[in-house]
Structure formats: structure tokens, C-alpha cells
Amino acid sequence: MKTEQNFLIMRQFLMFLIFTGMLLGCGDKGDPTPPKPAKVAVKSIKLDKTEITKVVGETEQLTATVLPSNATNKAVTWSSSDDAVATVDENGKVTAKKVGTAKVTVTTKDGNKTATCSVTGKTKQNGNYQKS
């Protein structure tokens, strides 16, 4: 009788091991492509300068920093409040066009976060900046 009980216990244990092995081995083996990383949203943007003064015709490069540094979409657009006074290209290069003041704005495509820089165009006479 003891042998029969041992046999039944052993049989139940083996069935448990087989069933457990089947459960553990039956994971999703479909698409082997790893999951896409989670999107990291833009929280803010900053410029390396908030004010610049340039003689008409001169240029200045502005540098934008999107935060956090691991944001998924760091794309930005640049604009000027008055293209007659100062223009800005798609890379942040500002050109003073005439005497006056304009505001250059950089805007993130993700979240529409903004940063601005005041640009003043001046003329230069005798080594001194003049408003004309």
C-alpha cells in the first residue's frame, strides 16, 4: 500500500511539474520586434541669449535647448515678430535688417513651448551704436 501511495504522490508531482513547465513555456512568441520606447514629452525650451544688439547687416547664431534632453521630438520652429527689423532662419541664425527691435521666438513642435530673444538693430557711427 505504501508503494502505491508513493507512486500516486510521485505521479501528482510529475503532473505538477509538466503543467508548470507548459505554463511557463507558453509565453507570447508572436512578434519578435521589441516594444517601442515610451514617448518623452517636451517640458521646456531655453535660448542661450535673451537679448542681442546687432549692427544692421550683422548676424548672430541663437542656440535652443529642448528639455528634458531625452525628449522624443526635439523639432522646433523659429519666427520673428518683425521681419523688417530682424529675420531668423530655420537654424536660429538671426540677421539685423534695420534699426528697431523685434522679438525672435523658438517654439517646440511637441507641446508648443516657447523661448524668446529681443533683437535690436542699430547703426554704427564713429565706433558707437546709434538708433538713427
Side-chain angles (χ1 to χ4, degrees), residues 19 50 54 66 72 113:
F19 181 73
T50 57
K54 299 307 292 174
V66 175
T72 304
K113 307 296 184 189

Short mmCIF file of all heavy atoms in Angstrom, two decimals, residues 19 50 54 66 72 113:
data_model
loop_
_atom_site.label_atom_id
_atom_site.label_comp_id
_atom_site.label_asym_id
_atom_site.label_seq_id
_atom_site.Cartn_x
_atom_site.Cartn_y
_atom_site.Cartn_z
N PHE A 19 2.71 20.44 -15.93
CA PHE A 19 1.76 21.53 -16.08
C PHE A 19 2.44 22.88 -15.90
O PHE A 19 2.24 23.81 -16.68
CB PHE A 19 0.62 21.36 -15.06
CG PHE A 19 -0.42 22.42 -15.14
CD1 PHE A 19 -1.33 22.46 -16.19
CD2 PHE A 19 -0.49 23.42 -14.18
CE1 PHE A 19 -2.29 23.44 -16.27
CE2 PHE A 19 -1.44 24.40 -14.26
CZ PHE A 19 -2.34 24.42 -15.31
N THR A 50 18.98 86.02 -24.31
CA THR A 50 17.64 86.59 -24.25
C THR A 50 17.59 87.99 -24.87
O THR A 50 16.51 88.50 -25.12
CB THR A 50 17.13 86.68 -22.79
OG1 THR A 50 18.07 87.44 -22.03
CG2 THR A 50 16.97 85.28 -22.19
N LYS A 54 22.64 94.12 -32.66
CA LYS A 54 23.49 93.93 -33.83
C LYS A 54 23.41 95.15 -34.72
O LYS A 54 22.36 95.80 -34.83
CB LYS A 54 23.04 92.71 -34.65
CG LYS A 54 23.07 91.38 -33.95
CD LYS A 54 24.31 90.96 -33.31
CE LYS A 54 25.55 90.59 -33.91
NZ LYS A 54 26.66 90.34 -33.04
N VAL A 66 16.22 72.03 -25.88
CA VAL A 66 14.94 71.41 -25.54
C VAL A 66 15.15 70.52 -24.32
O VAL A 66 16.10 69.75 -24.26
CB VAL A 66 14.41 70.59 -26.73
CG1 VAL A 66 13.14 69.84 -26.36
CG2 VAL A 66 14.17 71.48 -27.94
N THR A 72 11.50 63.00 -26.90
CA THR A 72 11.37 62.23 -28.13
C THR A 72 11.41 63.13 -29.36
O THR A 72 12.11 62.82 -30.33
CB THR A 72 10.04 61.43 -28.11
OG1 THR A 72 10.03 60.61 -26.93
CG2 THR A 72 9.92 60.54 -29.33
N LYS A 113 6.02 74.74 -26.57
CA LYS A 113 6.78 75.50 -25.56
C LYS A 113 7.58 76.58 -26.30
O LYS A 113 8.05 76.35 -27.42
CB LYS A 113 7.72 74.60 -24.78
CG LYS A 113 7.06 73.37 -24.16
CD LYS A 113 6.06 73.74 -23.12
CE LYS A 113 5.49 72.49 -22.46
NZ LYS A 113 4.38 72.76 -21.61
#
